[in-house]
Amino acid sequence: MAALSSGPAPFSLSRGAKISFALLAVYFLWAAAQLEFTAERFIVGLDNGARFLDRMFPPAIHDWDSLTRGLTESLQIAVLASILGILLALPIGLASARNLMPTWASWPARTIIALCRSFHPVIVAILFVKAVGFGALAGILALTVASVGFVGKLFAEAIEEISAKQVEAVRATGASFASIVIFGVLPQVFSRFVGFATYQLDSNLRNSTMVGIVGAGGIGGTLFSAFQRFDYDFVCAILIAIIAIIMIGELLANQVRAIFIDNLSFGELLRRRFSGFRGLTTERAAND
Amino acid sequence: MTAAQQVTVGATAALSVRGLHKEYVPGQPVFRGIDLDIAGAGLTAIIGSSGAGKSTLIRCINRLVAPTSGQILFEGVDLAKARGKPLREARRRIGMVFQEYNLVERLTVMENLLTGRLGYLSAFTAWRRKFPAADIERAYGLLETVGLTDFANTRADALSGGQRQRVGIARALMQQPHLILADEPTSSLDPKTAVEIMQLLAEQGQAAGIPVLVNMHDVLLARRFAQRVIGMARGGIVFDGSAEALTDDMLKTIYGGEQWLH
């Protein structure tokens, strides 16, 4: 009988991989020790955490006015920043697609997007607060920058993945460059673009609750001052309110996606929503 | 020129290729010294083994690929050197049908047909989707011609291969072209559909009175539908004559090898 092959066993990790994992584990333990990430601190922290949670319940609203104003402002910041950001991301993202544009257009556009993405929205908010003063304008500008960076980059990547064949066919009809983009490129990326836009709306809603901490408007300011006054039950109420608007925002985003991507009519939208609540699979029901 | 090379006597050449040369890698030409005249209604088939340069040649004609050197005269414009508006105006007179249909998948059949008129519309009008009523009527007429009236509002990716190719042919005809190029239009289709598509191409070409230039692999189809056959091998044209003159010996020269012939 011929000897069995003495190669490596199937699915086994290479020597290099095993050594890397070992080194990684060692590094993790060493770095944790450097940062005082000990089990003892964790247990003390848990105790502190429990006491903190205790002071937060039951939630109480100390200042209705401030809460509603803050929430409305956050919502407005999110919506305005999303609209501005998405509108700007369209041409900038298009310009940075390397399969469409020459280098002299794509390179500056890619640089702009990279710059927009480099900083966390809160840092950008600090800069804008310094530039345009306290208030919602700084927040809107900061989140617009974040939106342009995120949506622009993903949009450019989506364009770089399109099928060149469809574009070639439109080109062969003698269409101008703009027509080629509108009819050959955009239809291929439209639904992904809607996905990115709704995700960014969701993300901006979250970020808008945060920029207030540095004075750029929204519920963040209310939250931070409640925190500093040790009104932890008000803090809890604000957190619950934030959870509520984020969830509403997500529901809205789903409906927007359904309208634009699946081209559902309004009636069909409502039907699906109610059937979903009743746990029915509408897809099969519609096809029977 | 022999009678086989000029299908309609007395017609001036719609397309005149002189000394066409293309190399992707310097020193390794795909083809060189191609001289070709296409005139009058009739279907011309270009055959040759894979890599012989058939696809590149067809794509050079409407400048989807830029030739390295040579001349491509189409209705008074040298497509090898044209750019910008003259190039687009020449392109809109050349309809093209692709091997993989190349429809815009997410658009409906009607929308795909209307993209055939983009060469005649300004970008602004096209963006506003204000296509002239005549174009829309022509689209419906062509849908009937290719037998897809019921699919006007179906998304292109919901169609079968044969249906997609019909839309592709209709889109090319929407341009009211003076020449139709087809790059292996039947290579992705089953034998029966392939015959239907070739029939459609031949008939529509005759009806419009324009030449149809088709790349193909299937020699039987070429013999059946083409009035003229051009064989490419080793970077040049080795055969140019009627389908009847295409002997087995000639096929051996074009494709090489013997096993496949019998």
Side-chain angles (χ1 to χ4, degrees):
Chain A
M1 289 276 270
L4 289 171
S5 145
S6 57
F11 298 111
S12 65
L13 292 170
S14 69
R15 289 273 306 287
K18 286 185 192 156
I19 294 175
S20 302
F21 276 123
L23 282 175
L24 196 61
V26 167
Y27 177 75
F28 179 83
L29 291 170
W30 177 81
Q34 294 282 88
L35 296 173
E36 294 179 18
F37 184 37
T38 60
E40 186 196 314
R41 269 191 84 188
F42 193 63
I43 293 174
V44 169
L46 277 178
D47 187 45
N48 272 339
R51 264 187 282 137
F52 178 56
L53 278 175
D54 190 45
R55 288 179 69 175
M56 282 172 78
F57 280 95
I61 299 174
H62 292 195
D63 188 347
W64 268 103
D65 206 32
S66 168
L67 179 66
T68 46
R69 247 185 308 122
L71 282 178
T72 329
E73 202 174 46
S74 278
L75 208 65
Q76 287 167 340
I77 292 176
V79 170
L80 286 170
S82 300
I83 294 175
L84 262 178
I86 290 166
L87 283 176
L88 283 172
L90 258 171
I92 298 180
L94 209 61
S96 58
R98 284 167 294 195
N99 58 345
L100 271 188
M101 296 291 202
T103 338
W104 57 262
S106 64
W107 189 81
R110 295 186 81 84
T111 315
I112 294 176
I113 290 182
L115 283 174
C116 290
R117 278 168 48 90
S118 303
F119 302 111
H120 193 276
V122 168
I123 298 182
V124 182
I126 294 174
L127 296 174
F128 273 115
V129 162
K130 260 290 174 229
V132 302
F134 289 108
L137 179 62
I140 294 172
L141 291 174
L143 292 187
T144 305
V145 165
S147 304
V148 167
F150 181 81
V151 177
K153 176 160 170 76
L154 289 180
F155 189 47
E157 284 179 2
I159 295 177
E160 289 178 354
E161 286 172 10
I162 60 173
S163 156
K165 296 185 195 255
Q166 302 181 28
V167 176
E168 183 186 46
V170 180
R171 204 170 141 226
T173 66
S176 63
F177 180 72
S179 290
I180 295 175
V181 167
I182 297 172
F183 287 89
V185 176
L186 289 185
Q188 294 190 59
V189 295
F190 182 65
S191 67
R192 286 189 72 186
F193 183 75
V194 171
F196 303 146
T198 49
Y199 184 86
Q200 189 57 30
L201 176 63
D202 200 45
S203 171
N204 280 342
L205 209 48
R206 261 180 294 127
N207 287 331
S208 71
T209 61
M210 208 178 34
V211 292
I213 295 180
V214 296
I219 193 76
T222 323
L223 178 65
F224 199 54
S225 49
F227 209 84
Q228 287 182 314
R229 284 195 308 269
F230 306 108
D231 288 342
Y232 294 131
D233 46 0
F234 191 24
V235 166
C236 186
I238 295 174
L239 290 177
I240 293 175
I242 293 177
I243 294 176
I245 58 168
I246 299 288
M247 297 196 84
I248 293 175
E250 195 182 310
L251 282 173
L252 274 173
N254 282 339
Q255 300 313 316
V256 168
R257 261 193 289 266
I259 292 176
F260 280 100
I261 300 180
D262 300 332
N263 272 335
L264 295 179
S265 69
F266 197 55
E268 173 73 20
L269 262 178
L270 286 175
R271 208 174 64 77
R272 282 200 182 186
R273 181 53 47 198
F274 287 124
S275 300
F277 283 150
R278 279 181 278 143
L280 298 173
T281 40
T282 45
E283 277 300 308
R284 245 176 279 144
N287 291 336
D288 281 344
Chain B
M1 282 196 254
T2 68
Q5 286 168 313
Q6 222 182 327
V7 185
T8 310
V9 177
T12 51
L15 179 72
S16 219
V17 177
R18 290 282 173 270
L20 202 62
H21 177 116
K22 174 67 188 171
E23 54 189 30
Y24 287 108
V25 178
Q28 291 173 33
V30 180
F31 53 73
R32 62 183 109 89
I34 301 283
D35 290 330
L36 196 54
D37 282 298
I38 308 280
L43 199 142
T44 305
I46 304 183
I47 61 175
S49 49
S50 312
K54 314 194 298 292
S55 224
T56 313
L57 175 61
I58 283 241
R59 278 184 165 73
C60 279
I61 292 176
N62 63 355
R63 261 289 288 286
L64 291 179
V65 166
T68 312
S69 66
Q71 207 184 44
I72 304 170
L73 281 171
F74 178 69
E75 299 190 335
V77 182
D78 183 3
L79 288 175
K81 296 194 176 42
R83 26 183 59 102
K85 202 141 185 271
L87 175 61
R88 288 202 305 270
E89 284 176 356
R91 267 200 189 136
R92 67 187 185 189
R93 289 287 178 206
I94 303 177
M96 185 148 181
V97 181
F98 298 86
Q99 177 181 355
E100 288 175 31
Y101 332 119
N102 292 16
L103 301 180
V104 184
E105 308 260 295
R106 290 190 178 253
L107 296 183
T108 64
V109 167
M110 265 310 278
E111 290 166 343
N112 268 290
L113 286 189
L114 288 171
T115 62
R117 296 304 295 178
L118 287 178
Y120 296 91
L121 288 181
S122 79
F124 187 55
T125 324
W127 176 62
R128 278 158 56 230
R129 310 294 199 270
K130 287 247 174 301
F131 289 92
D135 287 348
I136 301 185
E137 259 192 64
R138 184 175 303 119
Y140 278 112
L142 281 170
L143 270 183
E144 232 189 279
T145 313
V146 302
L148 288 174
T149 332
D150 293 331
F151 293 87
N153 292 315
T154 322
R155 241 168 70 155
D157 54 9
L159 300 174
S160 73
Q163 290 168 330
R164 287 190 211 194
Q165 196 59 297
R166 288 169 189 271
V167 178
I169 293 175
R171 175 179 60 187
L173 290 170
M174 278 291 284
Q175 295 175 229
Q176 292 171 298
H178 293 172
L179 168 67
I180 292 185
L181 302 173
D183 183 20
E184 300 196 32
T186 56
S187 294
S188 301
L189 301 171
D190 66 78
K192 171 170 167 281
T193 317
V195 168
E196 288 168 4
I197 291 299
M198 286 305 295
Q199 209 142 17
L200 190 57
L201 270 174
E203 280 168 13
Q204 292 308 312
Q206 282 295 339
I210 57 177
V212 180
L213 191 57
V214 186
N215 265 352
M216 49 207 317
H217 273 313
D218 191 335
V219 178
L220 287 174
L221 273 182
R223 278 192 169 129
R224 188 165 156 183
F225 289 101
Q227 284 77 49
R228 173 180 172 197
V229 176
I230 296 172
M232 281 184 76
R234 294 172 291 283
I237 293 179
V238 298
F239 176 82
D240 188 351
S242 69
E244 291 78 42
L246 190 61
T247 61
D248 278 358
D249 277 331
M250 191 35 68
L251 283 174
K252 260 187 251 171
T253 317
I254 296 173
Y255 287 99
E258 288 201 26
Q259 304 283 46
W260 64 279
L261 269 171
H262 303 286

